[in-house]
Amino acid sequence: MKKIFVIADIHGCYDEMVKALKKAGFDENNDEHLLVTAGDMFDRGTKSVSIFEYLYPLCNKGRAVCVRGNHDDMFIDYLKGKSITPFNYIRNGEDETFADFLGRTAPFESWCAIDKNIEEPTVGDFARWLGEAVEEINTNYPNLLSWLKRMPYYFETKNYIITHASIDTEAEDWHNPKTPWDELVWDDGSFFGKEILNTGKNVIIGHFGTAHLRKKYNTDLDNKNQFAPLLSENGRILAIDATTNYSHQVNVTVIEDELL
C-alpha cells in the first residue's frame, strides 16, 4: 500500500514544486510515500537543474516515478541530436532549460553575439551551437539523457492510470495504442471530453492547463481558483496542470492507500 503524490507540468518551477509537496505532506524519506510526476518537468522555468537533481536520486531509490511528456521528448531529441531546428528553443521554453544546464543566460544568442560575432543567425548556426551545447550538457550531466529515455509514458496502479496527456480510447488494449505514445502526449484537450470504455481505471493527466479546459468545456467557471484540478463530466479523468510557470501554483493530488 502506498500513499501516492501526483504532480504535473512543473516546467522548471522548482521552488513552487517543493513548497507544494511539503504542504501536501510528501516525505522523500518515507518508504510508503511515492511521488509520480506526469510529465514536462523542464522548459519555461529557470530551475531545471534543481528539478533534475531532486528527482533523479528519488527515482533511483524507488521513491519517485517520472512519466514522460511532450517536453521530455523534445529535450531527448535535442540531446540525441535528432532535432536541430530552433522552433522549440524559441517557442516552447527550451531556451530556459539549456540556459540552466549550461549555466549561461540566453546561451544561443550569447554564443552568436559574443563567441562568434554573428549578427544574423541562421538555422545552420543554431545547429552548430546545439552540437556544442549538447556535448557540454551530456558531459557535465552523464546520467541525464539515460534517465530521460527510461521515463515511461504511463504509470499504472490498481485503480489509476497516470499519464501526461491521454490514453488511446479507441484501442482494444490501451497499453498498446493505435496512436503511438509519442503522439498521445500532444493531445489538444479533446481527451478530457472522451468516454473511456477500454479500462475501468480513472486517469490523471497534465499537459493541458485546467484554466484552459474550464473554458474549452465551459465548466466550473465559477471556481475562484481557475488553475485548480478539474474532474471531467463523466468523473473518469482528473486534470491537474496548473500552468505553473504562469500561476506559480502546483496541484498535488494525493492518493491514499493505493496498491501498485
Side-chain angles (χ1 to χ4, degrees):
M1 305 287 278
K2 291 281 188 179
K3 187 173 185 178
I4 302 175
F5 298 76
V6 187
I7 59 176
D9 298 82
I10 302 306
H11 283 297
C13 298
Y14 171 78
D15 295 333
E16 292 87 339
M17 176 187 73
V18 170
K19 180 180 178 181
L21 288 174
K22 182 177 181 181
K23 183 177 179 180
F26 175 65
D27 180 0
E28 60 191 62
N29 296 311
N30 188 329
D31 288 337
E32 302 307 315
H33 285 193
L34 179 66
L35 173 62
V36 180
T37 71
D40 287 6
M41 293 294 99
F42 305 134
D43 298 346
R44 299 191 176 125
T46 61
K47 292 190 175 182
S48 289
V49 172
S50 295
I51 289 175
F52 169 64
E53 291 178 342
Y54 179 78
L55 292 175
Y56 177 71
L58 287 181
C59 289
N60 287 343
K61 295 174 185 176
R63 302 279 172 79
V65 175
C66 292
V67 171
R68 189 185 300 197
N70 57 302
H71 281 258
D72 306 306
D73 274 344
M74 285 157 39
F75 197 23
I76 289 171
D77 284 346
Y78 273 134
L79 293 179
K80 289 176 64 179
K82 290 180 62 178
S83 175
I84 59 171
T85 61
F87 181 84
N88 288 322
Y89 178 87
I90 297 170
R91 299 292 299 273
N92 281 318
E94 201 85 43
D95 58 333
E96 293 290 358
T97 301
F98 272 87
D100 200 26
F101 277 102
L102 292 169
R104 182 173 185 173
T105 302
F108 171 57
E109 294 82 351
S110 63
W111 177 86
C112 290
I114 300 172
D115 297 2
K116 303 298 181 181
N117 195 29
I118 298 172
E119 295 183 1
E120 297 184 7
T122 66
V123 173
D125 294 323
F126 181 81
R128 284 197 298 134
W129 164 79
L130 185 62
E132 295 178 14
V134 164
E135 182 178 0
E136 181 176 337
I137 292 174
N138 286 332
T139 298
N140 292 337
Y141 299 90
N143 298 313
L144 175 61
L145 179 56
S146 60
W147 175 66
L148 288 166
K149 289 165 63 178
R150 289 196 304 271
M151 289 182 177
Y153 280 111
Y154 64 86
F155 179 72
E156 185 178 11
T157 71
K158 180 181 179 181
N159 298 296
Y160 294 91
I161 300 164
I162 300 168
T163 192
H164 180 59
S166 65
I167 64 171
D168 189 341
T169 58
E170 302 300 320
E172 182 177 351
D173 178 1
W174 66 268
H175 298 89
N176 300 299
K178 297 178 181 178
T179 301
W181 281 106
D182 61 354
E183 295 180 22
L184 290 170
V185 296
W186 289 94
D187 183 73
D188 62 359
S190 61
F191 172 70
F192 189 75
K194 291 182 178 179
E195 292 293 329
I196 303 176
L197 302 177
N198 54 356
T199 177
K201 298 184 180 185
N202 294 326
V203 184
I204 301 176
I205 60 170
H207 183 60
F208 209 87
T210 56
H212 297 296
L213 286 174
R214 283 179 163 83
K215 293 178 181 178
K216 182 178 178 68
Y217 288 93
N218 193 32
T219 184
D220 195 35
L221 297 177
D222 294 331
N223 194 315
K224 293 181 179 179
N225 182 3
Q226 61 180 319
F227 303 104
L230 181 65
L231 190 64
S232 64
E233 185 175 336
N234 59 26
R236 299 290 310 283
I237 304 166
L238 179 66
I240 64 172
D241 177 7
T243 320
T244 298
N245 61 296
Y246 175 78
S247 69
H248 302 290
Q249 176 180 324
V250 173
N251 293 321
V252 184
T253 295
V254 181
I255 305 171
E256 302 275 359
D257 300 325
E258 180 69 357
L259 290 172
L260 303 184

